[in-house]
Amino acid sequence: MKIAVPKEILPGEQRVALIPESCGKLIKAGLEVVVETGAGLASGHDDEAYRKAGATVESDVRKLYGEADLLVKAAKPAHHESAGAHEADLLKEGAALVTFLDPLIDFDLVRKLAERKITAVSMELVPRITRAQSMDALSSMANIAGYKAVLIAASTIPRMCPMMMTAAGTIAPARFFVIGAGVAGLQAIATAKRLGAIVSGYDVRPAVKEQVESLGAKFVEMGLDTSAAEDKGGYAKEQSEDFIRKQREMMARVVAENDAVVTTAAIPGKKSPVLITADMVRGMKPGSVIVDLAAERGGNCELTRCDETVEEHGVTIVGPSNLPSSIPVHASQMYARNIQTLVNHFVKDGSWTLDMEDEITAGCVVTTGGEVVHPRIRELMELPQLDPPQQSAEKPEPAAADPATEGASPAEGGQN
């Protein structure tokens, strides 16, 4: 079985799906790995490092894609300018693809993958269960995003983070407020504490209070009914407009007291809830900073602009969309381990195998055999649900190369 690792084509994407170490382990397991020339340079791995690990380095993009049984990527497939075709079309029919797909939003891509009979595995949909922890790339990338968000805030506010006793007097510590206590939020809290700031955190899910306090931060109580704030997967659920209105009213005071606010609140497949209004920004001190990790889905701040830094009323608002890519060495290291573990889950005796009765497989396979098979995606796309027999175990043989392509790529991903 041949695994292909292309160079990412998304502008600004510096990660690579497999680093040499992970390639070596997959090769020892009996798989063949082919890496595109220069694919790992941005993450600190040159072509020679891949060769030493046992991988083949390929410069012909069409050949790389066209001969792959499995393509592993970091960013979702898009039009490949140098190859003159969409990445999905460069793959042979029946091949497998593992990457972040954004399947809850990008239905056009899902349809294209189904039409190409690609077995598409979405890293966003790996279930958050104990058995799948080592495959959970969404959490891996969210850790990085939360860490980097605090560094951005700390380097932007016009004050130092820790309290300092100096000959010129005592310097008061900066105050950080983190909204959302998922993986990204908890890492942001921990990083801000390490920098010496006074930190507080908030989340609609009451169960995370203990986690926030265990990191040395204060959990902000808002006196709202949050009994139905969490779904079965541990994610925050979308709240009513009345709930959000009351939440904003109570949050305005807290936001105004802080020098830096990091927002991480996101609902999978939904527009990010606006938690900080323009009026709330006006109430903040000049020089304050908001780093909005939900920018890609519209932002938690009303004034956020994705991938831009804006200043309103003396407050700086930063809206990054792919922070993990800004730390490509460690982001690639973590992501490659997630990919490696997930590939091992699917590959049995050297062949790609699907067991749709397995919780991990059923949770993250979006398309296979020309069908959209993920129940939630089918519902969102308004497709009738498949009968259970059609979603049962399936073990496709490696497909023959398509003559048309023979010899022929966020967070936070989401990042919360």
Side-chain angles (χ1 to χ4, degrees):
M1 180 176 176
K2 183 178 290 187
I3 301 175
V5 185
K7 184 176 181 179
E8 298 294 332
I9 61 173
L10 180 72
E13 181 57 75
Q14 302 184 83
R15 293 173 294 179
V16 66
L18 288 176
I19 63 173
E21 178 187 359
S22 297
C23 288
K25 291 180 178 178
L26 290 172
I27 291 166
K28 287 181 180 178
L31 305 176
E32 181 182 353
V33 180
V34 183
V35 182
E36 183 179 347
T37 302
L41 286 177
S43 60
H45 307 288
D46 61 18
D47 295 342
E48 187 58 30
Y50 283 102
R51 290 190 183 98
K52 289 180 178 178
T56 301
V57 177
E58 177 60 68
S59 60
D60 188 328
V61 174
R62 283 187 168 271
K63 183 178 180 182
L64 177 86
Y65 282 76
E67 295 182 354
D69 298 309
L70 166 63
L71 187 80
V72 292
K73 284 175 50 62
K76 66 181 182 180
H79 183 77
H80 199 302
E81 290 292 341
S82 64
H86 194 283
E87 288 180 288
D89 292 326
L90 292 173
L91 288 167
K92 62 188 177 185
E93 284 195 357
L97 169 70
V98 176
T99 188
F100 283 107
L101 286 174
D102 199 17
L104 300 175
I105 299 293
D106 196 343
F107 300 146
D108 287 340
L109 176 59
V110 172
R111 291 187 189 95
K112 176 180 279 290
L113 293 170
E115 289 168 0
R116 293 287 299 160
K117 297 182 180 179
I118 304 298
T119 296
V121 179
S122 176
M123 296 303 289
E124 296 99 324
L125 299 181
V126 172
R128 281 182 167 172
I129 59 176
T130 301
R131 192 161 58 91
Q133 282 183 342
S134 58
M135 311 172 195
D136 187 359
L138 202 61
S139 291
S140 296
M141 299 303 101
N143 259 307
I144 296 173
Y147 164 80
K148 188 61 180 284
V150 170
L151 297 189
I152 292 172
S155 65
T156 305
I157 56 174
R159 60 179 68 234
M160 295 183 288
C161 286
M163 180 177 72
M164 290 189 179
M165 307 293 289
T166 75
T170 300
I171 303 298
R175 304 181 70 92
F176 275 64
F177 179 42
V178 178
I179 301 175
V183 177
L186 292 173
Q187 183 58 248
I189 289 170
T191 302
K193 284 296 294 182
R194 286 194 292 268
L195 291 177
I198 295 175
V199 187
S200 56
Y202 170 74
D203 196 291
V204 295
R205 299 166 297 164
V208 302
K209 176 181 179 181
E210 184 178 344
Q211 297 175 54
V212 170
E213 292 177 340
S214 71
L215 295 172
K218 175 186 176 183
F219 185 78
V220 176
E221 303 273 9
M222 295 200 179
L224 298 170
D225 180 10
T226 57
S227 57
E230 186 173 353
D231 66 17
K232 294 180 180 179
Y235 294 94
K237 290 172 61 177
E238 187 174 19
Q239 300 298 307
S240 68
E241 281 298 320
D242 184 58
F243 181 97
I244 293 174
R245 179 182 57 78
K246 293 178 181 178
Q247 185 182 59
R248 288 172 183 165
E249 292 173 357
M250 297 177 181
M251 195 174 289
R253 174 182 55 81
V254 182
V255 168
E257 294 173 348
N258 284 273
D259 303 300
V261 178
V262 176
T263 69
T264 71
I267 309 296
K270 302 281 187 178
K271 187 178 183 298
S272 302
V274 175
L275 304 177
I276 301 177
T277 64
D279 285 340
M280 292 165 68
V281 172
R282 294 187 189 98
M284 297 177 73
K285 295 175 288 187
S288 299
V289 174
I290 298 171
V291 180
D292 192 341
L293 292 186
E296 194 171 4
R297 290 286 182 264
N300 295 141
C301 176
E302 186 178 0
L303 302 177
T304 295
R305 296 177 194 165
C306 187
D307 285 327
E308 293 185 32
T309 297
V310 298
E311 186 172 326
E312 296 283 349
H313 315 295
V315 177
T316 301
I317 304 154
V318 186
S321 65
N322 188 8
L323 280 183
S325 182
S326 68
I327 309 180
V329 172
H330 284 140
S332 297
Q333 178 182 324
M334 296 168 73
Y335 186 62
R337 289 175 180 172
N338 297 142
I339 289 283
Q340 175 196 328
T341 310
L342 190 63
V343 169
N344 286 333
H345 170 77
F346 281 104
V347 175
K348 309 297 182 187
D349 298 323
S351 299
W352 182 264
T353 303
L354 291 188
D355 176 6
M356 296 304 290
E357 295 180 0
D358 175 82
E359 185 176 3
I360 296 174
T361 301
C364 61
V365 173
V366 177
T367 65
T368 191
E371 288 276 11
V372 178
V373 296
H374 194 284
R376 184 178 179 191
I377 308 302
R378 289 190 69 87
E379 181 180 358
L380 291 171
M381 294 176 68
E382 299 182 347
L383 298 173
Q385 291 299 329
L386 297 174
D387 293 331
Q390 292 177 270
Q391 297 190 59
S392 60
E394 180 181 353
K395 300 181 180 181
E397 294 297 324
D402 184 339
T405 60
E406 176 65 10
S409 17
E412 228 277 277
Q415 50 197 16
N416 296 354

